[in-house]
Each structure stands twice: as structure tokens, then as C-alpha cells.
Amino acid sequence: MRRKSFVPGAALVTVAALAAALAGCSGGSTGDGRDGGPKGGDTASPSPAQPGRYQSLPEPCGLPARGTVRAMLPGDDRQLSHEDAEKIYAGQADVTYDTDRRVGCRWKRETTEGTRHLTLDIQRVVSYDNAVSDDDRAQEIYGKKEVAAGIPSGGSPSPTTSVPKGKDAGGGGTKNPGADAGEEAPNGALDSGKDTAADAVTSPAPGQEAGTGDEAKPQDGGAASDHSVGPTDPSGTPGATAGPHLLDGIADTAFLNDKLATADSGVHRDITVVFRTSNVIVTITYDQWSTDKSLVPGSQELQDKARSLATELSDRIGE
């Protein structure tokens, strides 16, 4: 049988036609941007979102100035030894598994008139989404805290009213005649007692119920309560703003919440300040419990001190 002869020219034409067809399928863009060039990377990938300003966190117990802590935890007539004072004002650090992501510290001071607690929680937020920056993710978390506190998502404070003068029985709910004048500071100096006036308490006049709204009778010629404008009012405002509200001038954004509890467990006022600076969220909780349930802890002094601490921490963290 005769074999068919091989024709080289025909084979070359066939190969050339196949190569042209393959080149037409794989090459170039379609013009609408959906079919780019080779997958080798001619099209640049989107840049990841910017990281937050902070890559680590400070030691929490040493972040507030010692004088600030002493002013927020005033005592009574009883003088503290150097060891006791150091134990109270040094604070106790929270146990965390990653100190670059979350740290905290807590302080507590007990007196015959009641107890004050101060807690500090600092969280560094990291976004694991390349399309969302650390700051944006931190703002999302902070925004949820605002909503939980009762502040509208639009950013406006909830309708609030100022606490009238004499609303609370006593300026701070605890007596602080000497502001621990005999306590020894870590550097060996005595406490200056600068917050004595702010912490001074005025009891209701005879026959007067605590918290009735009637103005309490001044003692020793002092102001009627911590809501009065005068030497005993460090803020110089006529009264504290009740309820949750936004704060101006602290970090990127901040709010304060003021809650009064009069349950059977005890009478206490809880002040919470939350602020965000870049990708760090700081929560300050400051409360006062009264041993005498007829004495309602005052709002003005507690708010002023918590707000002052928030300003100080915002500046210290940003250094």
C-alpha cells in the first residue's frame, strides 16, 4: 500500500494558525478594564489602609501622676503610713495576655465615710482588614460604646439638665477635712491637701432629707454644696450635667456618663469617661460609695476629677 506523502508546508501553516488563535485569546485588554493583561501583575493592587499611630501601650499604673491619684482617692482623719499609702496609690495592674494590645490598672481607697474606686482600661485596636484602617476600626468600637451609653449615633448629646444646687447631700459624699495632710508622699513630702475644699462635705440641715432638692445649709461659712459656684467648686460651673454627654477638647472624641445607684447594696455614683486617640481607646471608671445611705455622692466633684484625668492621660499617651 502506498503511503501518503508528508507535506511540510501544510504543517507549518496549521501551526501558525493555532499560534495566532492562542495569541488572540490571551493577549491585551478588552477595553473595559475587566480583562487585563497577563496575570504577572501589570495591574497594581490597592494599597493597604494606614496603620494606627500607636504600636504599643504604656504601663498603666504609672500613667496618671501620683498627685492626681491621691486627689481622686481622698481620705479621712486617719493618717496613712508610708507603706499603706504606697500600696493604695501605686495601684494594681490588671492581668492581660498581650500588654501591647490591652492594659489596665485599679485603685481603691476605703474610709469611714465610704469607698472610692478608680479603674483604667487602655485598648490598642488593630484592624486585620486591609481595607479598614486601625483608626477607623477603633472609631467603630468607640461608636458602639457611645450607643451603649445612650448617646445618639448622630453625635449629639442626649437631652440633659444641670443638677440644681443642693441636689446632692454633701459635696463629695465623703468628709475630707485635711486631705490626708499627714500622709507621706513617695518623695518624702507631705500631702499638700490641695483638694480639701473640693472634697469638703456639707450635711443636710436638721429635718432636711438628702437629695430633696432643698439647698443644704453651709458649714463654717462654706458653699452649700459642690454645685455652688465659689471656692469649693473647682470647675467654676453652677452644676454638673446629668446623664451621658459628649466632651469637647479631649483627644479625638470623648464622652462622659454619670449614673447614680441607690439599690439595697449601697448608694454609689459611677462616672465613666471614654475617649479615643487614634487607634487607642481609654476607659476611666470612677465611683464613690457612701457608708451612710442618706448621703448621696455629689456629681460635680467626681465629674471634674474624671474629666481632668482623661485630659491628662490623653496628653501623656500622645507624648
Side-chain angles (χ1 to χ4, degrees):
M1 177 184 294
R2 289 184 64 185
R3 294 182 180 180
K4 292 182 179 181
S5 61
F6 177 70
V7 182
L12 291 175
V13 171
T14 303
V15 172
L18 289 174
L22 291 174
C25 292
S26 61
S29 171
T30 61
D32 58 4
R34 290 176 296 174
D35 187 11
K39 294 184 179 180
D42 286 351
T43 303
S45 59
S47 301
Q50 290 294 323
R53 175 182 179 184
Y54 303 102
Q55 303 301 314
S56 61
L57 293 175
E59 195 283 311
C61 295
L63 191 60
R66 181 61 63 92
T68 301
V69 177
R70 293 169 72 87
M72 298 184 75
L73 304 176
D76 47 21
D77 293 325
R78 184 175 63 91
Q79 295 185 1
L80 293 176
S81 65
H82 176 75
E83 290 76 14
D84 289 340
E86 182 65 22
K87 182 179 179 180
I88 292 173
Y89 299 127
Q92 180 179 358
D94 293 341
V95 177
T96 59
Y97 296 100
D98 188 351
T99 55
D100 282 336
R101 292 294 304 277
R102 195 160 202 159
V103 294
C105 190
R106 60 191 65 246
W107 297 261
K108 177 181 179 181
R109 178 73 188 273
E110 295 178 334
T111 66
T112 56
E113 279 80 15
T115 304
R116 294 201 190 197
H117 302 86
L118 173 63
T119 62
L120 178 62
D121 177 80
I122 308 176
Q123 177 186 4
R124 184 174 70 90
V125 179
V126 177
S127 173
Y128 294 101
D129 186 347
N130 286 337
V132 180
S133 68
D134 292 348
D135 284 22
D136 289 342
R137 177 57 180 152
Q139 179 60 32
E140 291 178 9
I141 297 175
Y142 169 85
K144 292 179 180 179
K145 294 179 180 292
E146 275 193 355
V147 174
I151 296 178
S153 59
S156 299
S158 301
T160 57
T161 57
S162 294
V163 179
K165 294 182 181 181
K167 180 69 176 178
D168 303 323
T174 58
K175 189 176 181 181
N176 184 27
D180 305 323
E183 294 175 13
E184 186 178 357
N187 59 5
L190 295 180
D191 192 330
S192 62
K194 290 188 294 183
D195 60 328
T196 302
D199 296 333
V201 62
T202 54
S203 301
Q208 215 175 22
E209 289 292 330
T212 60
D214 296 327
E215 188 162 339
K217 182 182 294 184
Q219 291 182 348
D220 300 329
S225 75
D226 67 327
H227 304 300
S228 301
V229 178
T232 61
D233 186 357
S235 70
T237 56
T241 302
H245 55 279
L246 298 177
L247 297 175
D248 294 330
I250 299 178
D252 295 326
T253 182
F255 72 87
L256 181 148
N257 198 5
D258 184 338
K259 290 184 178 180
L260 176 64
T262 57
D264 294 338
S265 58
V267 177
H268 59 96
R269 184 178 294 278
D270 305 329
I271 306 295
T272 303
V273 176
V274 181
F275 69 85
R276 179 186 70 83
T277 171
S278 186
N279 62 319
V280 167
I281 299 175
V282 178
T283 302
I284 300 169
T285 306
Y286 183 40
D287 63 63
Q288 178 182 352
W289 292 67
S290 293
T291 303
D292 186 350
K293 294 184 179 181
S294 66
L295 292 178
V296 178
S299 179
Q300 184 71 65
E301 177 220 353
L302 298 179
Q303 285 196 25
D304 286 345
K305 290 184 175 181
R307 187 166 53 243
S308 178
L309 175 60
T311 302
E312 177 184 326
L313 295 183
S314 176
D315 293 340
R316 293 287 301 274
I317 293 175
E319 290 177 352

